Amino acid sequence: MRLLIVSNRLPVTLNETNGSYRMEKSAGGLVSGVTDYLASLKGSTSEPKEYLWLGWPGMSIPDKHKDQIRQKVQDEFNASPVYLSKKLMDKFYLGFCNKTIWPLFHYFPNYVVFNPEFWNEYKRVNEKFRDELVKIIRPGDIVWVHDYHLMLLPQLLREKVDNPVGFFLHIPFPAYEMFRLLPEEIRKGLLNGLLGADLAGFHTHDYSQYFLRCVRRILGLENHMGRIDLPGRAVKVDTFPMGVDYQKFNTMASRRDDPALPENKDVKIVLSVDRLDYTKGILHRLKGFELFLQKNPEWHGKVCMDMIVVPSRTGVESYQEIKSSLEEWVGYINGKYGTFKWTPVIYQFTSLPHETLVSLFRMSDVALLTPLRDGMNLVAKEYIASRNDKKGVLILSEFTGAAKELIESIIINPNNIEEIADAIDLALNLPEKEQVLRNEAMRERLERHDVRKWANDFVESLKEIRTVSEYAFMKKFLIHELSGKILTDYSKASSRLLIFNYDGTLVPLGDKPLSSGPSRELVDMLKTINEHPGTDIVILSGRSREELESWLGHIPVNIAAEHGSWIREDDSEQWTQLKPLSGEWKKDVLTVLEMYTDRLPGSEINEMDYSLSWHYHRSDIEQASYIRRELADHLISLTANVGIQVFQGNKVMQITSSGINKGDLARHWLGSKKYDFILAMGAGWSDELLFQALPDTAYSIKVGVTQTDARYIIKDHEDVMNFLKKLEQQKVGRQD
Ligand code: GDG
């Protein structure tokens, strides 16, 4: 069993000079963190023990060098390159990834570009990754897909293989109102893409909840404690805040003699490090520092801001614009306050060696990180982990994922420039004793929740949800061999009872539940099966006898309408009652239902003899869920002493005279004759009473993948139809 890590970029960067290629390990947070976890797999006692990393190698490679590079990357880095042309990368990476997803997910809708070509290329690149994976994947391999570049990959992969697939998003997942700005095809495509995974992970609880809400509102799928049950499997959505390699940062040697480091020991340093990105709030930071200098002249000459800005996504125009304005601001501040002896802002547009970065962390009095939105922000964690002297003050934006964990830092809202200025003042004056107290608490947390634990928790959680899925669903699945046994038993039996629930079993749960008549195909099948000698069919439904009569009345089957308020036996044309019922309660309940119907646009009432149903399939899913609960409470208080029962169905609430349930109905027909083959199929929760009423030898089958007392599960209505087709073709009667 191997762990296949898939990310847009490989953890190696290729450089070409005169046709020869050099490879260097890339240094990002994800790479160094995951690499350490991967290295620890070798000696581990549990699976997986091996890994392979798939991704783009960072440049286009001429065909003649591809094989040689593939081998080298595989041998030296346990990696496998996915080759993509520059043209594809432009529209995919600079286009859809960084002009559509990145700004939208970071709440910058003004920067978002919607271009159908970008989306097409995004799909193509995801498919390309899928094709590469399919070539190398082996049964049992675990796949872990990373980040916003590959959100379609889990589903694309699921269509081809059955391996466990996990997905982790490194950037924020936005709130519904932001996410819904995407065109419908894209927003549905992305959500369905992610739901192809067994486990979808996010940095914070908020992001997980936003994702679940989007799934509910856009795809109409509910979850229970973050678990979404799909046909045949469950998807778990959970929170995994990424940590840093604490030990490495804690013990790394400092290089005080590094020429890249500031010289003047008497000046306090306020440090900021990030990629050049409009999400990082770099301008806000400069404005905050300027205001601080304005308000605190006593600090002039005694403090400087060391600003490391790492070049990034230079092909995207908005990044070039932000670079110009930030350089203007640096010039403005240095021009306004600087002297021969003092430069207030030291600005470096460069990437520094890791050791230099850590030395800088250790010699900085304050780290000032002001993102306007950031999935996690590893720099904040690295700063604290590097401070083995436990000193230094972290000022951190509340809009970073890291702010949820680093609560002892000075948390600020970067939109409030005044707050940044005051935080700098507070940080520079914070007594050492308090610095140590704050940092100790954070360092302890970072040590416990380091990057290895993060990766390990994710992989363990992925294995767990697969086990749950397999246990809850697969075990009972009506697989081919089993359906073969049912069919043989069926044809060998001399008397058979078949009980079918109507909506969701014989007809799909549709968008127009008030008019879901049976298909011609279904009616013909029921007719043929009913003609098999010794076979009795019972159809149970909450619908009115008029509807059922008009759809199925011409076939001599047993029918129970309105949840059993009315029954029609197969040898009669009359509707009768198992026991007398009263409909007197309806008037009061109708008044209440009308009130709620007025409040919930799209909802409607269907009145029958002894029952009422309240449908809300066309209503807003969230509003319906609130109002439905209120209505349920209202009905309980109103009808406590009246003989009625309330059923919650799929986007329908049914209120009916109490006294008869599906269990009673099953017993009625079971008691009428001796059957040597009994089969019942149902889709709703009221069918559980039916399953419980059956003898142990009966075949009880639940339609849809949920927890059930039925012995078996069948995936959906379509599979029911396929099963009925087989039943229809059986030769019946004793074969021996
Ligand atoms: C994305 C999300 C999320 C920075 N400058 C230098 C350098 N770095 C290293 C840092 C850190 C990493 O790069 C940056 O990570 P961040 O988390 O701060 O930000 P993003 O690059 O935007 O990362 C982010 C992250 O994914 C992980 O999930 O936290 O929210 O946007 O490790 O140390 N490394 C070197 N020289 C530099 O000059 N060597």
Side-chain angles (χ1 to χ4, degrees), residues 505-627:
T505 304
L506 293 181
V507 298
L509 291 171
D511 285 344
K512 297 194 187 82
L514 295 185
S515 58
S516 271
S519 63
R520 178 75 193 270
E521 188 192 9
L522 173 70
V523 172
D524 289 348
M525 281 198 296
L526 288 175
K527 228 162 134 184
T528 315
I529 295 170
N530 196 47
E531 281 164 8
H532 288 167
T535 306
D536 290 337
I537 294 181
V538 178
I539 294 172
L540 308 179
S541 175
R543 290 175 177 272
S544 72
R545 55 188 168 138
E546 289 81 12
E547 267 179 313
L548 294 165
E549 176 86 51
S550 71
W551 293 333
L552 303 163
H554 60 292
I555 323 173
V557 289
N558 301 285
I559 306 177
E562 282 194 48
H563 304 282
S565 303
W566 290 107
I567 62 167
R568 199 200 73 168
E569 308 275 358
D570 55 6
D571 54 358
S572 160
E573 290 190 352
Q574 299 299 313
W575 287 89
T576 55
Q577 292 190 299
L578 281 181
K579 63 178 182 181
L581 298 167
S582 157
E584 266 176 37
W585 54 270
K586 275 193 337 188
K587 201 164 135 283
D588 290 345
V589 173
L590 256 177
T591 316
V592 174
L593 283 186
E594 275 158 9
M595 203 168 89
Y596 284 85
T597 307
D598 284 342
R599 285 180 55 200
L600 184 65
S603 61
E604 53 193 318
I605 303 167
N606 184 25
E607 183 179 353
M608 290 168 272
D609 296 335
Y610 298 102
S611 53
L612 296 167
S613 56
W614 186 63
H615 296 264
Y616 51 87
H617 61 282
R618 289 187 296 138
S619 307
D620 179 280
I621 187 168
E622 283 197 338
Q623 197 186 359
S625 147
Y626 280 113
I627 294 188

Side-chain angles (χ1 to χ4, degrees), residues 469-535:
S469 241
E470 277 158 23
Y471 179 77
F473 305 137
M474 309 301 185
K475 192 184 73 150
K476 289 183 163 187
F477 244 86
L478 193 61
I479 43 175
H480 293 299
E481 303 89 83
L482 188 62
S483 80
K485 163 135 176 55
I486 297 178
L487 295 172
T488 316
D489 285 358
Y490 174 83
S491 55
K492 277 189 181 163
S494 50
S495 60
R496 313 169 192 85
L497 178 64
L498 306 174
I499 307 177
F500 300 116
N501 151 61
Y502 183 74
D503 281 283
T505 304
L506 293 181
V507 298
L509 291 171
D511 285 344
K512 297 194 187 82
L514 295 185
S515 58
S516 271
S519 63
R520 178 75 193 270
E521 188 192 9
L522 173 70
V523 172
D524 289 348
M525 281 198 296
L526 288 175
K527 228 162 134 184
T528 315
I529 295 170
N530 196 47
E531 281 164 8
H532 288 167
T535 306

Side-chain angles (χ1 to χ4, degrees), residues 10-26:
L10 271 185
V12 273
T13 304
L14 284 181
N15 289 307
E16 188 252 1
T17 20
N18 303 328
S20 83
Y21 292 87
R22 243 176 352 100
M23 291 176 210
E24 269 172 50
K25 190 170 171 227
S26 339

Side-chain angles (χ1 to χ4, degrees), residues 27-29 102 106 147 168 170-171 203 242 249 273 275 280 308 310 350-354 357 361 374-379 382:
W102 179 270
H106 285 89
D147 229 359
F168 188 82
H170 288 264
I171 65 173
H203 277 307
M242 186 173 173
F249 284 98
V273 180
R275 280 185 305 101
K280 301 284 183 187
I308 313 293
V310 182
T350 182
S351 174
L352 299 173
H354 224 201
L357 199 62
F361 284 153
D374 209 338
M376 173 52 73
N377 195 297
L378 295 178
V379 174
E382 291 166 3

